[in-house]
Amino acid sequence: MTSTTDASGTTDSYGELRAQLATLTTEAFRPEFAEIDRLPTAEIARIMNGEDATVPTAVAERLPQIAAAIDAAAERMARGGRLIYAGAGTAGRLGVLDASECPPTFNTDPSEVVGLIAGGPSAMVKAVEGAEDSKELAAADLDALKLSADDTVVGISASGRTPYAIGAVEHARAQGALTIGLSCNADSALAAAAEHGLEIVTGPELLTGSTRLKAGTAQKLVLNMISTVTMIRLGKTYGNLMVDVRASNEKLRARSRHIVSLATGASDAEIEAALAATDGEVKHAILALLGGVDGPTAARLLTESDGHLRAALAAVHTT
C-alpha cells in the first residue's frame, strides 16, 4: 500500500501503522474464535475465563525482572523519590488507578505515587484524540512534575510502541530517573528504552486487539506488585498488616482497630486508648502497645526508624 496525502497535506501513514500492528502478538487474529458470537453465553464465559487463567503464568515468567525493578524503585523512593506511571488509554487508566489507591492503603501523600495519562484527567473517562501519539506531551507532563533523579517512571503500553509511554521513559532516563517499561509484546520499543524492561507476553486476545482483556489484566497484576512490594520494602506494612492505612471512612476506621488487634492482641479498651494517644495512627498505636511507650515516643522512634515498625520495636527493646 502506498502512502497518500490528505487535503491538509499530511502524509497518510496508516498503511505503515497497520503493517507494524500486524507484527504484534497482542493484535493477532484468533481464527478459532471467529464465530464466538454464535456460542451460548455460558460457553463464551468459560472460554474467556480460560484465557484469563493464562495471565498469571505469563507474569510468573518475568518475576526475576519484576523483583529487580521493584528493588531499584524502592531504593529511589527511600531517598525521597516518587513512583510515576505514564501511559495512554487502558494502560494509562490502570496506572492512575494504582496510584490513586496508594494514599488510603499506605498513607502516602498523593504526590508520592502519581499516575499520568495521555490527554490529562479527562482521558480517564473519554478518549483524547492524538494524545497517545505524542512523545513531547509525555515530556511536558513529566517536566510539570519537576522530575528528579530519585524518581522512578514506569511507562505502560500493551503494544510496547505507544509514543506517549516511550517518550515518558526516554525523557525520564535522560534526566537520570529510574525507568521501567511494562509491555505485553516481546522485543518492544518501550522495553528497549527503559533500564528495566518488563515484557509480559500474554498472547492474542479473545477479541482481536482488545488489550483491555488479558494484557490489561497482566498490567494490573504487575502494577499491583510494583506498588505493593515497594511499600512493603519501605516499611508500610507489619507482616501482612496494612499498618499505614488511612482511616478516612467508617469501614477503614473499623479496619484500623482490627489491624491493631491482630498485631497486639490488646483489648478494645486498650486499642481505643492507644489510638487516642497517637491521633489515630495505626502504626504508632501498635508501637505504643507492644513497646510500652507513649504517643510522642512512638512517633519519635518511628521517625528515627524511617517508618519501619520492626526497627522501632527493636529500638525499644534495646534501650
Side-chain angles (χ1 to χ4, degrees):
M1 177 179 177
T2 57
S3 294
T4 59
T5 303
D6 61 22
S8 63
T10 46
T11 301
D12 179 2
S13 60
Y14 287 116
E16 180 182 345
L17 178 57
R18 283 180 61 189
Q20 186 181 56
L21 292 177
T23 68
L24 301 178
T25 303
T26 51
E27 298 288 331
F29 175 65
R30 302 281 293 276
E32 69 269 34
F33 296 146
E35 297 192 5
I36 195 170
D37 55 326
R38 294 185 165 193
L39 297 176
T41 298
E43 179 62 9
I44 298 174
R46 186 194 65 77
I47 292 171
M48 190 169 179
N49 181 242
E51 289 290 299
D52 291 341
T54 67
V55 176
T57 300
V59 174
E61 291 175 356
R62 293 292 179 265
L63 286 178
Q65 294 90 341
I66 294 169
I70 291 170
D71 281 339
E75 181 182 344
R76 301 276 180 128
M77 288 199 78
R79 302 201 302 256
R82 297 165 294 179
L83 179 60
I84 302 168
Y85 298 129
T90 297
R93 294 182 188 101
L94 289 169
V96 172
L97 173 64
D98 197 75
S100 68
E101 291 175 341
C102 286
T105 306
F106 301 111
N107 202 16
T108 58
D109 187 273
S111 66
E112 293 181 80
V113 185
V114 180
L116 296 177
I117 182 170
S122 63
M124 282 293 293
V125 294
K126 184 178 180 181
V128 177
E129 297 299 331
E132 73 170 51
D133 295 326
S134 174
K135 288 186 176 183
E136 293 73 23
L137 179 59
D141 287 346
L142 288 174
D143 285 342
L145 293 177
K146 295 180 170 54
L147 193 70
S148 81
D150 285 334
D151 293 330
T152 298
V153 173
V154 184
I156 315 165
S157 166
S159 68
R161 60 155 298 278
T162 306
Y164 183 88
I166 296 172
V169 164
E170 290 176 341
H171 186 69
R173 194 165 184 178
Q175 302 300 312
L178 179 73
T179 54
I180 301 171
L182 174 57
S183 72
C184 294
N185 281 294
D187 303 318
S188 67
L190 177 59
E195 292 168 75
H196 295 268
L198 307 179
E199 295 179 321
I200 315 299
V201 181
T202 50
E205 299 286 3
L206 178 81
L207 301 181
T208 305
S210 183
T211 51
R212 57 179 284 273
L213 300 177
K214 289 191 299 184
T217 299
Q219 291 169 77
K220 180 68 167 69
L221 291 176
V222 175
L223 294 178
N224 278 349
M225 284 186 185
I226 290 173
S227 59
T228 301
V229 183
T230 295
M231 294 303 160
I232 291 173
R233 293 275 73 88
L234 294 175
K236 293 288 187 178
T237 66
Y238 179 62
N240 63 344
L241 298 176
M242 297 184 293
V243 292
D244 262 344
V245 65
R246 179 177 296 169
S248 57
N249 57 43
E250 286 300 321
K251 181 189 76 174
L252 293 178
R253 279 186 279 275
R255 180 179 291 165
S256 296
R257 283 149 179 79
H258 185 54
I259 289 170
V260 178
S261 175
L262 288 171
T264 67
S267 68
D268 288 349
E270 290 171 327
I271 291 169
E272 292 301 326
L275 286 168
T278 57
D279 295 324
E281 293 286 349
V282 171
K283 186 186 289 183
H284 296 62
I286 293 171
L287 180 56
L289 288 166
L290 293 181
V293 298
D294 59 21
T297 302
R300 176 180 60 80
L301 288 169
L302 282 165
T303 297
E304 292 173 353
S305 302
D306 295 323
H308 289 258
L309 180 52
R310 290 193 189 278
L313 283 167
V316 171
H317 295 144
T318 57
T319 56

